[in-house]
Amino acid sequence: MKVLVATDKPFAKVAVDGIREIIESRGFEFALLEKYTTVEELYEAVKDVHALIIRSDKVTAEVMDHAPELKIVVRAGAGYDNVDLAAASAKNIVVMNTPGQNSNAVAELALGMMVFLARKKFNGASGTELRGKKLGIHAFGNVGRYVAEIAKGFGMEVYAFDPFVDTADIEKAGVHAVNSVESLYDTCQYISLHIPANEKTKKSINFELLKRLPKNATIVNTARKEVIHEEDLLKIMEERADISYISDITPDAKDAFETNFADRIFFTPKKAGAQTAEANINAGLAAARQIADYFLTGNTTFKVN
Ligand code: 3PG
């Protein structure tokens, strides 16, 4: 069995070494494609592989067409909106993710960006503090839980909305559960997004929600750019000079945000949430183990299609 790690944004070397060790110790063949610049390079690399480890790399039906031996794709990370699940299922290819493995890294970045903007991007001007502010966690999954834990350390008052998580479960984490997304946006000065990008959530952070935000609000996006209705966000930021937007995913309308609201925005130059040695090791090695387990025992835990 040949296992290819195909990562446009490479893992830390220590993680790649660990993945190689797991794959080779099980008697499988290891291959690596990093920082590729064209889809043709990916097509060529997948032509004889049985398993694929990826990050945000797009695995389309065309990529799968070029991989006739492919049996399993593991997204080393949480969001799998970059994989065509229907095409995979049609070809009997198992798709998995590695939930929770990179969540702390993403959460630390969310809080880091909040401090950075609250302190005027460290330019020396007088800023504000996080202590005592209300933080709304939009979706209380693995990342949301870590954000809550860290934010409580900062002395923030934490709220969460998640229709898929029991209220008792949220409250047990010392977080106020609210029963509607509207009430989260009514209540919290900071909103941290942790929803996946899917047909229901795309562009769902729209004018109707954003207009509810209290004064001096900041939207923190370490989820996906697609969940934001960018035209609506630009409109509300035009109407309200007190709203800020910080994101780990550069918006499509980057230039408009930068031209009009330079002091109230921050975008990481390249998506960096999961870009730590620890997260790379956790997610990368989990992906390698899941592939080995699947081939050796048929274990399909974490299958998403
Ligand atoms: C995820 O979904 O796991 C995060 O968005 C991290 O994505 P990345 O592996 O492309 O950095």
Side-chain angles (χ1 to χ4, degrees):
M1 296 288 175
K2 182 169 176 182
V3 183
L4 172 72
V5 174
T7 48
D8 160 42
K9 186 173 56 184
F11 288 123
K13 185 177 177 302
V14 61
V16 177
D17 291 345
I19 296 170
R20 180 194 295 270
E21 152 71 20
I22 290 171
I23 299 302
E24 291 182 343
S25 69
R26 269 65 162 189
F28 304 139
E29 187 186 342
F30 172 88
L32 183 63
L33 174 70
E34 292 182 326
K35 292 188 194 171
Y36 53 93
T37 50
T38 64
V39 71
E40 285 72 26
E41 286 173 76
L42 184 58
Y43 291 164
E44 175 62 23
V46 297
K47 68 174 191 238
D48 57 350
V49 305
H50 303 92
L52 192 52
I53 296 176
I54 50 153
R55 296 184 63 176
S56 290
D57 307 79
K58 285 197 169 54
V59 179
T60 59
E62 290 72 36
V63 172
M64 295 179 222
D65 285 342
H66 285 80
E69 310 293 335
L70 192 60
K71 303 276 179 294
I72 178 168
V73 176
V74 181
R75 192 286 188 237
Y80 43 86
D81 47 305
N82 48 322
V83 181
D84 186 334
L85 295 187
S89 299
K91 292 172 188 292
N92 288 322
I93 297 170
V94 169
V95 181
M96 296 183 188
N97 64 350
T98 65
Q101 300 289 354
N102 59 17
S103 307
N104 181 65
V106 178
E108 287 190 13
L109 185 78
L111 270 294
M113 292 197 301
M114 285 162 63
V115 172
F116 184 58
L117 196 78
R119 292 302 183 92
K120 309 288 182 198
K121 305 185 190 178
F122 302 156
N123 72 358
S126 181
T128 54
E129 299 180 21
L130 300 185
R131 179 169 293 276
K133 306 293 189 306
K134 292 186 168 107
L135 166 67
I137 299 185
H138 191 163
F140 203 64
N142 290 308
V143 184
R145 283 166 200 265
Y146 277 113
V147 169
E149 191 184 311
I150 302 168
K152 284 195 294 170
F154 272 96
M156 300 188 85
E157 206 181 318
V158 186
Y159 293 74
F161 171 70
D162 193 325
F164 303 104
V165 177
D166 278 352
T167 301
D169 195 8
I170 296 175
E171 301 276 349
K172 209 161 57 195
V175 172
H176 307 288
V178 298
N179 57 14
S180 73
V181 67
E182 288 79 13
S183 103
L184 194 75
Y185 283 66
D186 281 339
T187 310
C188 298
Q189 178 179 345
Y190 283 92
I191 297 283
S192 192
L193 301 175
H194 302 293
I195 49 177
N198 57 39
E199 287 324 304
K200 281 215 174 81
T201 62
K202 281 182 188 166
K203 288 187 185 280
S204 64
I205 313 304
N206 57 19
F207 193 81
E208 289 307 303
L209 268 185
L210 294 166
K211 73 174 189 199
R212 295 172 165 274
L213 290 167
K215 202 151 174 46
N216 297 324
T218 299
I219 297 284
V220 186
N221 188 1
T222 53
R224 291 289 182 270
K225 70 176 175 187
E226 290 82 0
V227 302
I228 294 278
H229 194 303
E230 288 189 17
E231 296 77 13
D232 284 6
L233 179 56
L234 285 163
K235 185 169 162 216
I236 194 94
M237 288 180 78
E238 183 71 49
E239 283 179 17
R240 285 183 49 183
D242 63 308
I243 291 187
S244 302
Y245 180 51
I246 49 187
S247 178
D248 187 30
I249 318 98
T250 306
D252 292 333
K254 175 175 182 271
D255 291 349
F257 283 101
E258 284 179 348
T259 308
N260 299 307
F261 317 115
D263 297 344
R264 292 188 273 142
I265 52 133
F266 172 69
F267 309 131
T268 52
K270 189 162 184 150
K271 191 170 153 218
Q275 204 55 328
T276 65
E278 293 88 339
N280 292 171
I281 292 168
N282 292 344
L285 271 56
R289 286 194 196 101
Q290 287 171 216
I291 286 172
D293 257 20
Y294 176 68
F295 283 142
L296 297 172
T297 71
N299 186 346
T300 54
T301 311
F302 305 125
K303 183 173 184 278
V304 296
N305 66 329

